[in-house]
Amino acid sequence: MKAALLQISSSDDPAENLETVRAMMREAAGQGAGFILTPEVTNCVSSSRSHQRAVLQPEAEDQTLAGLRAEAKALGVWLLIGSLGVKSEPPEQRFANRSFLITPEGEIAARYDKIHMFDVQVTETETYRESDGFAPGDRAVAVETPFGTIGMTICYDVRFAYLHRALAHAGAQILTVPAAFSPATGPGHWEPLLRARAIETGSWVLAPAQCGSHKISEGKPRRTHGHSLVVSPWGEVIADGGTEPGIIYAEIDLAQSDKARAQIPVLTHDRQFEGPA
């Protein structure tokens, strides 16, 4: 399967972002991609809760989801919508940061709500409290497709090795890590974390990312690290998206996952042990 990772710089205008992504999907499909992936918060990058409340919608009414499902069907491709900010079901007042896997028929094959919330102070001037606006998920998701089993994660999840190991034990050979990674932590952490998740599970890691300076009409300015990555099951970086919007491609060969897991069969070597005293 040829995969295409879309690296974009979403604004806080969902309609504008939808048109950008649809055009890039058409370009990727024209290059032979059968599996297209978008980054985290594809529909809206914003630090303003009031703006999010004004433009985000429940899943059933979300125009980005509807538009991208229609585009996937028109192109006959599998699509991972890295995530969308959507309004949760009442009584939950916070949004969901939700990833969607879409079939070539435009149907939703799987949903995953980001489990780990980015509540950190990365520098003296850069603080995030994702859980103030978004409700964490509580369920890991692995879904079978004709080209392999996909384990779905989002951004900050990459720092939690146990989640990816659990997905690999559930049969995932491909781990998706769509992101809007901080430029403060990205240079030191992004690539090593993704390579580690690939190496310790013998899985392909596909990580489409937001990049650059985002056009924001309300709230604090936002920048993201970029460097969408494809990492092989042996931990090699196959493709790197750099820092500008664009598309990177890779052929996903599950035989490489089988080979890596046969050479270093770590998934068969788990042991139970007592905790430290």
Side-chain angles (χ1 to χ4, degrees):
M1 173 67 77
K2 186 174 184 177
L5 280 61
L6 310 188
Q7 181 160 291
I8 60 179
S9 184
S10 292
S11 71
D12 60 3
D13 180 350
E16 177 181 79
N17 299 327
L18 173 59
E19 292 311 305
T20 296
V21 172
R22 293 183 78 162
M24 294 178 78
M25 286 179 64
R26 291 190 286 269
E27 179 181 346
Q31 294 297 315
F35 183 29
I36 299 173
L37 303 88
T38 76
E40 183 181 21
V41 288
T42 289
N43 60 335
C44 179
V45 171
S46 174
S47 59
S48 168
R49 300 301 183 212
S50 62
H51 182 78
Q52 290 169 331
R53 283 192 293 271
V55 302
L56 299 185
Q57 300 297 325
E59 178 184 315
E61 301 170 27
D62 188 85
Q63 294 304 301
T64 302
L65 177 59
L68 294 183
R69 288 178 64 184
E71 196 65 45
K73 181 177 181 179
L75 297 172
V77 298
W78 284 87
L79 171 67
L80 181 91
I81 305 173
S83 83
L84 302 176
V86 295
K87 290 180 176 176
S88 300
E89 293 295 322
E92 177 59 67
Q93 296 299 305
R94 292 174 295 175
F95 307 109
N97 191 346
R98 183 169 297 162
S99 186
F100 297 87
L101 183 66
I102 309 301
T103 73
E105 293 73 41
E107 300 300 320
I108 299 173
R111 300 169 176 82
Y112 166 71
D113 286 3
K114 185 178 182 179
I115 291 173
H116 301 97
M117 296 288 98
F118 193 48
D119 291 350
V120 302
Q121 182 171 342
V122 293
T123 70
E124 291 183 359
T125 59
E126 190 174 355
T127 300
Y128 299 90
R129 288 287 305 173
E130 187 175 14
S131 65
D132 285 350
F134 290 83
D138 58 8
R139 184 173 65 91
V141 176
V143 56
E144 293 184 14
T145 76
F147 56 91
T149 299
I150 295 172
M152 299 169 69
T153 76
I154 300 172
C155 200
Y156 190 51
D157 285 332
V158 75
R159 295 181 181 273
F160 299 87
Y162 55 77
L163 172 59
H164 299 79
R165 193 169 188 82
L167 291 167
H169 274 300
Q173 303 139 300
I174 302 166
L175 302 173
T176 55
V177 193
F181 219 74
S182 164
T185 57
H189 296 177
W190 174 241
E191 182 180 319
L193 285 166
L194 292 169
R195 293 182 68 191
R197 298 298 83 85
I199 291 167
E200 67 200 11
T201 64
S203 303
W204 284 94
V205 172
L206 307 182
Q210 295 278 355
C211 68
S213 296
H214 299 268
K215 188 171 70 175
I216 304 296
S217 61
E218 183 180 328
K220 295 187 300 183
R222 183 76 189 275
R223 287 186 56 82
T224 47
H225 177 62
H227 291 284
S228 298
L229 291 183
V230 177
V231 184
S232 79
W234 198 247
E236 302 162 310
V237 174
I238 303 301
D240 183 330
T243 59
E244 300 296 326
I247 307 174
I248 59 173
Y249 299 91
E251 291 287 347
I252 306 304
D253 178 7
L254 294 187
Q256 292 190 38
S257 179
D258 294 338
K259 181 180 179 182
R261 291 178 179 184
Q263 287 180 271
I264 312 290
V266 291
L267 295 177
T268 69
H269 290 165
D270 290 292
R271 292 177 59 81
Q272 298 296 317
F273 52 87
E274 293 184 7

